[in-house]
């Protein structure tokens, strides 16, 4: 079991390293755009993925989810920090649900 985890970790690190190694001399406007905006794109995809299983009916749980999704989007656009954009709305959601 440990070998499977280690080989998967090595493969992931290798693929990430090889992408930077092969593309280090490429000066593409598309790659520059993706590098600049990839954090926001990932956050938007995660928000839609999180909201997809919920029905359109409005209740307090829906309000909590939408408020935290909006907070995550605003924080990502404003601060451009995926860590803050994930951790802070998660903490707010925990507080809203429990209190």
């Amino acid at each position: 079991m440990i070998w499977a985890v280690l080989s998967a970790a090595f493969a992931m690190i290798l693929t990430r390293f090889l992408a930077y190694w092969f593309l280090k001399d490429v000066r593409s406007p598309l790659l520059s755009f993706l590098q600049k905006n990839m954090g926001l794109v990932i956050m938007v995809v995660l928000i839609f993925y999180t909201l997809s299983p919920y029905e359109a009916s409005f209740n307090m749980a829906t309000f909590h989810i939408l408020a935290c999704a909006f907070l995550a989007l605003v924080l990502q656009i404003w601060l451009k920090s995926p860590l803050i954009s994930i951790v802070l709305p998660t903490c707010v959601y925990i507080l809203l649900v429990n209190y």
Side-chain angles (χ1 to χ4, degrees), residues 39-78:
L40 177 61
V41 170
I42 291 172
M43 288 302 298
V44 169
V45 168
L46 286 174
I47 287 170
F48 281 112
Y49 179 75
T50 302
L51 297 177
S52 64
Y54 292 100
E55 296 179 11
S57 64
F58 190 80
N59 55 24
M60 279 313 276
T62 307
F63 171 73
H64 294 155
I65 292 168
L66 290 176
C68 291
F70 180 73
L71 178 62
L73 188 62
V74 167
L75 286 172
Q76 181 60 31
I77 292 171
W78 179 39

Side-chain angles (χ1 to χ4, degrees), residues 76-97:
Q76 181 60 31
I77 292 171
W78 179 39
L79 299 176
K80 295 182 180 21
S81 172
L83 179 64
I84 294 172
S85 299
I86 293 170
V87 172
L88 188 61
T90 303
C91 294
V92 169
Y93 179 75
I94 291 169
L95 289 174
L96 286 174
V97 169

